[in-house]
């Protein structure tokens, strides 16, 4: 069976002391689950989160990283820096990185390549904009994002990849794709991977849904056969909401 994952993307939220408190709450409230549970605090709090969660059932992910090993890249963070504090998973390609920081598929392909070569696991985010959904081009948009950033990777690298379909119109808006829309796109994604690689690779890859997942809709979304969990933004900042979403898988 495919691995199921619920990951909380904390974005630019929570100071150090707030991070400690939220992690303590999460540790106290986490339900028994077969799914892997991850949180992605901001860079400055990753080391403390990694220490606090050592040996616990909750893992830690970074929200981004640079493609170079080291060097003159003011303000950036390398794979080795993450690995040195026990962070082995990184979110790449989030729509906010694409929209506000100009990250395009070519840059993301370099970041993915670097993370793969460093042995990291990547949660790769992609998804269409509202006008693309309205124009009916969402399947092509997603195909192009995957092709440009991922489909040059060797098959072996797919063991390190988790996909996260996040329709941009559903992120932080309260607007969710219906479980049917999520399933339809996830099946399309699996098909694209099967065609680019093999059906076995497609069958094995975990595909998360992200975009306004809340305790009230998580169960329906997660019940779909090609939805293997969620990438949770806003609702991951509240321990009761996030643990209720974990319980729904
Ligand atoms: P949201 O964010 O759950 O607040 O919509 C999801 C995400 O950006 O990963």
């Amino acid at each position: 069976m495919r691995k199921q994952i619920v990951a909380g993307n904390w974005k630019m939220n929570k100071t150090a002391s707030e991070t400690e408190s939220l992690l303590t709450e999460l540790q106290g409230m986490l339900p028994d689950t077969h799914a892997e549970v991850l949180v992605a605090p901001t860079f400055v709090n990753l080391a403390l989160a990694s220490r606090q969660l050592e040996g616990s059932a909750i893992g830690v992910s970074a929200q981004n990283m640079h493609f170079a090993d080291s060097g003159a890249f003011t303000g950036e963070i390398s794979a080795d820096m993450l690995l040195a504090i026990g962070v082995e998973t990184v979110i790449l390609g989030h729509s906010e990185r694409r929209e506000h920081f100009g990250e395009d598929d070519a840059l993301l392909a370099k970041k993915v390549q670097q993370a793969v070569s460093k042995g990291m696991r990547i949660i790769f985010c992609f998804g269409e904009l509202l006008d693309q959904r309205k124009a009916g081009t969402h399947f092509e948009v997603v195909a192009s994002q995957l092709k440009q950033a991922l489909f040059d990777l060797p098959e072996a690298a797919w063991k390190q990849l988790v996909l996260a379909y996040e329709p941009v119109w559903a992120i932080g808006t309260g607007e969710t794709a219906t479980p049917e829309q999520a399933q339809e796109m996830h099946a399309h994604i699996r098909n694209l991977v099967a065609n680019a690689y093999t059906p076995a690779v497609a069958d094995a890859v975990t595909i998360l849904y992200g975009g306004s997942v809340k305790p009230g809709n998580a169960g329906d979304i997660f019940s779909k056969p090609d939805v293997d969990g969620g990438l949770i933004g806003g609702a991951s900042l509240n321990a009761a909401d996030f643990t209720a979403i974990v319980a729904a898988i």
Side-chain angles (χ1 to χ4, degrees), residues 108-118 122 149 152-154:
L108 292 170
K110 287 163 80 172
K111 291 189 176 202
V112 168
Q113 191 71 52
Q114 174 72 348
V116 165
S117 75
K118 292 289 179 179
I122 299 127
D152 286 335
L153 291 169

Side-chain angles (χ1 to χ4, degrees), residues 21-31 52-53 56 58 239 243:
S21 320
L22 180 52
L23 292 177
T24 302
E25 274 189 273
L26 287 174
Q27 285 176 288
M29 295 169 70
L30 194 73
Q52 189 173 338
L53 295 174
S56 88
I58 305 173
T243 53

Side-chain angles (χ1 to χ4, degrees), residues 178-188 221 223-227:
T178 63
E180 291 69 31
Q181 284 173 317
Q183 168 56 28
E184 184 185 37
M185 183 58 91
H186 283 221
H188 171 64
I221 295 169
S223 72
K224 293 295 175 191
D226 286 299
V227 178

Side-chain angles (χ1 to χ4, degrees), residues 64-69 73 79 90 92-93 103-118 122 124 145 147-153:
N64 181 30
M65 61 169 242
H66 197 265
F67 61 79
D69 281 346
F73 297 103
V90 61
L92 292 176
E103 298 198 5
D104 60 13
D105 293 320
L107 176 76
L108 292 170
K110 287 163 80 172
K111 291 189 176 202
V112 168
Q113 191 71 52
Q114 174 72 348
V116 165
S117 75
K118 292 289 179 179
I122 299 127
F124 185 77
Q145 289 171 325
K147 182 173 187 298
Q148 292 189 58
L150 304 183
F151 287 173
D152 286 335
L153 291 169

Side-chain angles (χ1 to χ4, degrees), residues 34-104:
H34 53 276
E36 179 178 347
V37 179
L38 289 166
V39 292
T42 185
F43 281 129
V44 285
N45 296 323
L46 271 179
L48 82 84
S50 184
R51 271 196 304 275
Q52 189 173 338
L53 295 174
E54 210 178 328
S56 88
I58 305 173
V60 180
S61 170
Q63 297 176 16
N64 181 30
M65 61 169 242
H66 197 265
F67 61 79
D69 281 346
S70 64
F73 297 103
T74 301
E76 290 292 328
I77 307 281
S78 73
D80 286 339
M81 292 170 188
L82 297 175
L83 291 167
I85 55 165
V87 177
E88 296 177 349
T89 301
V90 61
I91 297 169
L92 292 176
H94 192 278
S95 66
E96 288 148 19
R97 299 295 317 170
R98 294 174 190 258
E99 183 186 348
H100 304 303
F101 303 96
E103 298 198 5
D104 60 13

